[in-house]
Amino acid sequence: MTKPIRWGILGAAKFAREHMAPAIHAAKGAELAAIATSSPEKAAPFRAFAPGLKTHASYDALLADATIDAVYIPLPNHLHVEWTLKALAAGKHVLTEKPICLRADEIAKIIAARDASGLLAAEAYMIVHHPQWHRARELVQSGAIGSLTHVDGVFSYDNRSDPGNIRNKADTGGGGIYDIGVYTYGSARFVTGAEPESLSCVMRQENGVDVWAQVTGLMAGPLGRYTYSAITSMRLHNRQEMTFHGDKGVIRLTAPFNPNVFAEAQLELRQGMSVTTERWPGVNHYVLQVENFGDSIRGGTPYACPLEFTYGTAAMIDMAFANASVISLA
């Protein structure tokens, strides 16, 4: 029997408690073995489903634990690069929450550390582990919708009632683009293989972070050139959707980023008067992410979201900020 990969988590973040820790616990070939938190009370909900969980009082103590093979890092955004590098230096494989960095050029240091260590380091970009995205890529790249002309997306939620949330704070790397732009930008890149040729952005800010932003641009890649538009917001009603529009059809993903939470994962394909819908009820992309990460560690299976892919999305985010105009919607 293959020995399970023993995971540790740096910090008792709400997202880790609700999604990634249960996913690690449920994944084949993985064991949730340790958490680093100075608060036993914060560790208690994790221990409720993983009774043998070891608690370390500091992040450094967990990284020094020789029984831990891999770490998951759900810390605030501005700490991601620092602790990813520390985890690699400690000899751990590392899966870091998105965005793994706040500037694309920071990824070079992580790639260098990854290559020098021979370990796996990746951003926790879970959506590319969901079959709906592989199906979308297959359909678009096989010509099911003809010549791709336009891609648009939206991802929004409203957290104005929680001003203390790290997403609402500039000093922790907050803002809607860092939090959810990685999905609207990166998913288009994943499906089409294209990169931005030009990009403009308008945004509204509060307390130094973008709370609404729209990017528009021209993408170019192996499928040719297409126009692109995406809206991200932390001040609008919950909505998410991605659409790929060709001259012979349209693909629409109705729960592209939070399937099972927002709605059931569905892919709608329109060709002429024909509409077909594919569904993936109950698929947990967090579990698949952990299992695929483990497969890459054990057997060298190519990882769906290597750091080189992550660099492209980070560069697109950099471009959005560099070309942004701040406006008022009042």
Side-chain angles (χ1 to χ4, degrees):
M1 183 175 178
T2 303
K3 181 181 177 183
I5 292 169
R6 290 174 54 84
W7 285 80
I9 299 177
L10 298 189
K14 179 176 182 286
F15 183 82
R17 182 178 73 246
E18 294 181 350
H19 296 288
M20 278 302 293
I24 293 170
H25 184 66
K28 297 189 295 289
E31 178 184 348
L32 180 57
I35 188 169
T37 174
S38 59
S39 170
E41 292 78 16
K42 290 183 178 180
F46 294 82
R47 196 172 287 111
F49 57 82
L53 191 70
K54 183 190 299 185
T55 302
H56 290 286
S58 71
Y59 304 154
D60 286 314
L62 188 148
L63 293 183
D65 186 339
T67 69
I68 298 301
D69 305 308
V71 296
Y72 166 66
I73 300 178
L75 300 173
N77 294 344
H78 67 300
L79 299 175
H80 288 178
V81 173
E82 174 188 355
W83 285 98
T84 298
L85 293 173
K86 286 182 176 180
L88 288 169
K92 312 299 184 189
H93 302 283
V94 56
L95 184 64
T96 302
E97 244 336 301
K98 53 78 197 163
I100 199 170
C101 65
L102 298 178
R103 297 189 316 274
D105 60 11
E106 295 177 307
I107 294 183
K109 294 184 290 186
I110 304 175
I111 290 175
R114 176 202 68 185
D115 292 347
S117 66
L119 298 164
L120 178 57
E123 181 179 70
Y125 194 59
M126 76 292 183
I127 67 168
V128 298
H129 300 277
H130 197 288
Q132 68 173 332
W133 283 106
H134 292 269
R135 180 60 172 153
R137 181 165 65 174
E138 175 191 13
L139 288 169
V140 170
Q141 295 191 7
S142 69
I145 58 172
S147 178
L148 180 65
T149 302
H150 181 70
V151 175
D152 59 79
V154 62
F155 195 177
S156 63
Y157 60 88
D158 191 345
N159 72 353
R160 78 186 74 202
S161 64
D162 187 11
N165 191 297
I166 59 173
R167 296 166 183 81
N168 287 318
K169 295 183 177 181
D171 59 356
T172 55
I177 291 177
Y178 284 133
D179 188 41
I180 52 181
V182 293
Y183 297 126
T184 52
Y185 303 175
S187 61
R189 294 180 56 249
F190 180 77
V191 168
T192 68
E195 302 294 349
E197 193 172 279
S198 62
L199 201 71
S200 62
C201 177
V202 292
M203 66 172 62
R204 182 164 65 88
Q205 293 184 337
E206 293 177 12
N207 301 317
V209 301
D210 62 287
V211 296
W212 177 92
Q214 181 177 26
V215 298
T216 56
L218 186 64
M219 305 286 285
L223 300 179
R225 303 164 87 202
Y226 63 84
T227 55
Y228 174 77
S229 175
I231 292 174
T232 54
S233 180
M234 304 191 300
R235 295 295 183 271
L236 292 176
H237 186 71
N238 291 359
R239 182 185 170 202
Q240 54 182 268
E241 184 176 315
M242 285 294 296
T243 303
F244 299 83
H245 199 162
D247 61 350
K248 295 181 180 177
V250 178
I251 290 171
R252 186 169 73 100
L253 284 82
T254 60
F257 310 124
N258 279 25
N260 301 330
V261 176
F262 178 77
E264 179 186 72
Q266 296 184 10
L267 183 152
E268 182 184 274
L269 172 62
R270 292 180 174 267
Q271 297 167 306
M273 298 301 292
S274 170
V275 181
T276 58
T277 302
E278 298 181 45
R279 295 176 169 84
W280 293 268
V283 172
N284 188 316
H285 52 191
Y286 300 112
V287 172
L288 294 176
Q289 176 177 241
V290 174
E291 292 178 348
N292 291 340
F293 193 88
D295 289 343
S296 293
I297 290 173
R298 293 189 191 91
T301 304
Y303 194 62
C305 183
L307 292 173
E308 288 78 4
F309 174 84
T310 300
Y311 173 84
T313 302
M316 193 169 174
I317 289 173
D318 284 355
M319 186 182 293
F321 279 111
N323 298 325
S325 299
V326 179
I327 64 170
S328 171
L329 294 179

